């Protein structure tokens, strides 16, 4: 299973390529598809990223929805139709499609944010604001994460 941890800042080069953080790349090295899948977030102004195996699990989860379900139509249009499987070049870079960059407001620098089974790519100022909001929400809610005992 791919695990994406920590936060990294990288710059787009003049050809529109960006280096995917080395720990994120190594996280997908054992996958059949040694690259990443990106799509526009429909909950935040950022880009969502994950491994192909995680995308396959999401596809399997949609099989549990009704075939003619309106939510399935919307989800498929945003998730699968928008998804871009991207292979790393020899130096670990990808070209993030322009429409994804525009959606996230990224022009020259991006923040890669690990989220466990997935990651996000943010414009730095937008991420700082989102992170502050999350911290405030967590302080108010004080969630209790229950761990399995094995």
């Amino acid at each position: 299973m791919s695990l994406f941890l920590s936060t990294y800042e990288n710059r787009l080069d003049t050809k529109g390529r960006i280096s995917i953080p080395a720990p994120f790349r190594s996280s997908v090295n054992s996958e059949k598809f040694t690259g990443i899948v990106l799509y526009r977030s429909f909950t935040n102004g950022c880009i969502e990223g994950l491994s192909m195996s995680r995308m396959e699990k999401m596809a399997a989860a949609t099989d549990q929805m009704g075939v003619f379900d309106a939510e399935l139509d919307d989800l498929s249009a945003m998730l699968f139709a928008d998804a871009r499987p991207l292979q790393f070049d020899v130096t670990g870079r990808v070209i993030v499609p322009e429409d994804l960059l525009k959606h996230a407001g990224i022009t020259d620098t991006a923040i890669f944010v690990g989220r466990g089974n997935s990651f996000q790519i943010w414009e730095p100022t937008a991420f700082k604001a989102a992170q502050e909001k999350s911290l405030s929400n967590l302080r108010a809610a004080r969630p209790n994460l229950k761990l399995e005992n094995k």
Side-chain angles (χ1 to χ4, degrees), residues 43-146:
T43 57
N44 291 295
C46 66
I47 301 166
E48 301 284 351
L50 59 158
S51 67
M52 184 61 81
S53 64
R54 181 75 173 165
M55 180 60 83
E56 290 167 352
K57 286 181 182 179
M58 291 172 76
T62 63
D63 284 344
Q64 305 306 310
M65 299 174 80
V67 175
F68 302 110
D69 191 327
E71 287 181 343
L72 177 60
D73 288 343
D74 292 340
L75 188 59
S76 294
M78 281 305 301
L79 184 59
F80 304 118
D82 201 47
R84 316 294 169 77
L86 303 172
Q87 288 276 8
F88 306 128
D89 70 10
V90 294
T91 61
R93 298 172 300 185
V94 298
I95 296 176
V96 179
E98 187 62 36
D99 62 319
L100 299 184
L101 293 173
K102 184 177 179 184
H103 169 77
I106 296 169
T107 55
D108 60 350
T109 304
I111 303 291
F112 289 79
V113 181
R115 294 177 52 89
N117 293 325
S118 65
F119 64 94
Q120 295 176 328
I121 307 173
W122 287 82
E123 186 280 327
T125 305
F127 173 65
K128 185 173 175 68
Q131 190 177 40
E132 288 298 321
K133 182 180 176 193
S134 291
L135 180 59
S136 177
N137 291 344
L138 287 170
R139 284 181 175 154
R142 297 189 57 90
N144 186 9
L145 188 62
K146 297 185 188 323

